[in-house]
Amino acid sequence: MTIDRAFHSEPGAPAPEAMRERLRLAEDRAHEAEARYDALLEQLPVVIYTYSPKLDGPTYYMSPFVETLLGVSPQLFLDNEEIWDELIHPEDRERARVDYESYLRTGAPEGGEYRYLRADGQVVWVYDRSSTIRDADGNALYIQGVMYDITPTKEAELRMQHLAHHDQLTGLPNRAMYEEHLGLALARARRDGLAVAMLFLDLDEFKSINDTHGHPVGDEVLKQIAARLRSSIRDTDLVARTGGDEFLILLADLPPGADGDVAHDTIASVVMRLTRALEQPLVLRVGELVVSASVGWAVYPFDARDPRGLFRHADEEMYRRKRERPRATPIAPRRGA
């Protein structure tokens, strides 16, 4: 209500000048406060939004920073109720929806981390925190939320996690990650009556390669071997480098068969693929080099029933096979390949 309307609601009733001035000052202060609030929202490096307390409801307000963060104008959020689902990363869409449904029912979780995809393909990590604004009777009026850009922090965290669980030279999972997956596989096997196989692979005469050609060539051998092992196993298997020239392969969720015969057939098939992959010469700066490997294995629940027992059995089998095979000489490469 304007000042003039306030004082002319009754025709012929003039407003006292002092009252008119106080109302004018109050109106000016309200306008200034609103202007300061709008200016603050425009400067804050966060996205502030107001959303319907109903699932798939409209967006009532979106602060300008959303255009900087996600490359989409605030007005598009007001005009398109599906824009949230369109922008969120496909792999996070279902989780974000489940979280929001839970929040509407229970008030938890109040926040979550999700990825959004900009039109230019850039992935943006945000922390989205919500609060419910209610009337005097406790009815939800709207949801007010704040989205923070956590991309640098999240990417650094993911890099640290990757380094903690992967071998830096080959990019394969390391022993810590292998043991984590092995524990989960054994738990499933105990529950569902399945078998789990651990394959222990050790390169033959790898020390001679390092001594003859140097560690840079040895590192390249390990990287190429790692790539071949990874391409030779099934999608459901896991290959890890556990140090030096040693690799562990996990075959999980195997049908055991009578006395483990089906599981052993699967192992034999995988070992044959690994052997064939290693038969092909490696193309290196020093020429072509053929590297062989010795493989031992152990099967849960036939050879051992815990990780330590499986590793000990696979390790013993690997060294037995290494002793039985002819001594390899992988240090004389063929040039001109």
Side-chain angles (χ1 to χ4, degrees):
M1 179 181 295
T2 65
I3 293 176
D4 288 340
R5 287 181 60 192
F7 285 102
H8 290 85
S9 56
E10 296 183 9
E17 190 60 33
M19 182 64 72
R20 184 188 297 274
E21 183 63 22
R22 283 200 296 271
L23 286 176
R24 181 177 288 109
L25 291 173
E27 190 175 75
D28 289 344
R29 285 196 295 269
H31 177 75
E32 291 173 4
E34 185 176 352
R36 287 196 300 269
Y37 179 73
D38 289 342
L40 177 63
L41 291 183
E42 292 179 2
Q43 296 177 41
L44 285 175
V46 297
V47 174
I48 299 174
Y49 63 87
T50 305
Y51 193 80
S52 168
K54 298 179 180 179
L55 191 65
D56 297 324
T59 301
Y60 300 141
Y61 172 80
M62 179 63 68
S63 66
F65 188 73
V66 73
E67 191 154 8
T68 300
L69 182 64
L70 302 181
V72 177
S73 70
Q75 188 62 43
L76 192 56
F77 282 86
L78 306 185
D79 296 339
N80 182 4
E81 295 176 5
E82 298 179 357
I83 189 65
W84 295 90
D85 285 342
E86 293 174 2
L87 289 176
I88 199 164
H89 196 288
E91 294 179 7
D92 292 351
R93 190 171 297 154
E94 182 63 26
R95 178 169 59 88
R97 186 174 184 85
V98 169
D99 284 353
Y100 189 63
E101 290 175 348
S102 174
Y103 178 76
L104 292 179
R105 291 194 314 269
T106 67
E110 295 181 347
E113 298 177 354
Y114 312 106
R115 289 169 293 176
Y116 283 83
L117 281 175
R118 292 172 54 97
D120 59 8
Q122 179 184 350
V123 175
V124 178
W125 279 93
V126 305
Y127 178 74
D128 191 343
R129 183 175 180 85
S130 301
S131 60
T132 303
I133 309 302
R134 302 181 182 276
D135 62 18
D137 297 324
N139 300 312
L141 296 174
Y142 52 86
I143 307 296
Q144 185 164 290
V146 181
M147 289 197 299
Y148 305 88
D149 182 5
I150 61 170
T151 304
T153 302
K154 193 66 181 181
E155 289 180 346
E157 176 186 326
L158 293 174
R159 284 194 297 271
M160 292 299 294
Q161 290 177 0
H162 186 274
L163 290 174
H165 291 90
H166 290 79
D167 172 51
Q168 293 187 45
L169 177 64
T170 64
L172 292 177
N174 60 14
R175 182 155 186 157
M177 186 172 179
Y178 183 91
E179 291 178 348
E180 180 179 328
H181 281 256
L182 174 61
L184 295 173
L186 290 175
R188 292 195 304 272
R190 295 185 187 104
R191 183 189 64 214
D192 301 329
L194 299 172
V196 176
M198 173 189 290
L199 278 62
F200 186 11
L201 183 148
D202 183 87
L203 301 184
D204 297 325
E205 303 298 328
F206 182 71
K207 183 177 183 300
S208 298
I209 297 175
N210 278 332
D211 292 345
T212 303
H213 303 293
H215 288 280
V217 171
D219 288 347
E220 184 59 31
V221 167
L222 291 172
K223 288 191 285 188
Q224 291 195 30
I225 292 294
R228 292 191 183 187
L229 296 180
R230 187 161 39 199
S231 64
S232 300
I233 61 175
R234 306 172 305 169
D235 292 339
T236 54
D237 301 333
L238 178 75
V239 56
R241 181 188 176 214
T242 58
D245 60 342
E246 297 177 345
F247 298 84
L248 286 174
I249 299 170
L250 175 65
L251 310 182
D253 305 317
L254 301 177
D259 297 324
D261 57 336
V262 176
H264 280 93
D265 287 345
T266 302
I267 295 170
S269 176
V270 172
V271 171
M272 182 177 296
R273 291 201 302 273
L274 295 174
T275 302
R276 288 175 177 172
L278 295 180
E279 287 175 349
Q280 301 302 315
L282 304 177
V283 180
L284 305 165
R285 70 181 75 176
V286 296
E288 289 186 351
L289 194 67
V290 177
V291 179
S292 62
S294 300
V295 185
W297 56 83
V299 184
Y300 167 91
F302 306 102
D303 299 319
R305 304 185 67 87
D306 60 76
R308 180 175 296 181
L310 288 169
F311 180 82
R312 182 171 57 251
H313 189 279
D315 180 58
E316 291 172 354
E317 283 294 302
M318 185 275 294
Y319 278 107
R320 181 180 65 80
R321 295 173 187 276
K322 187 180 287 288
R323 289 192 298 268
E324 292 175 353
R325 68 183 300 148
R327 184 176 178 85
T329 56
I331 61 174
R334 298 196 307 271
R335 294 187 178 274

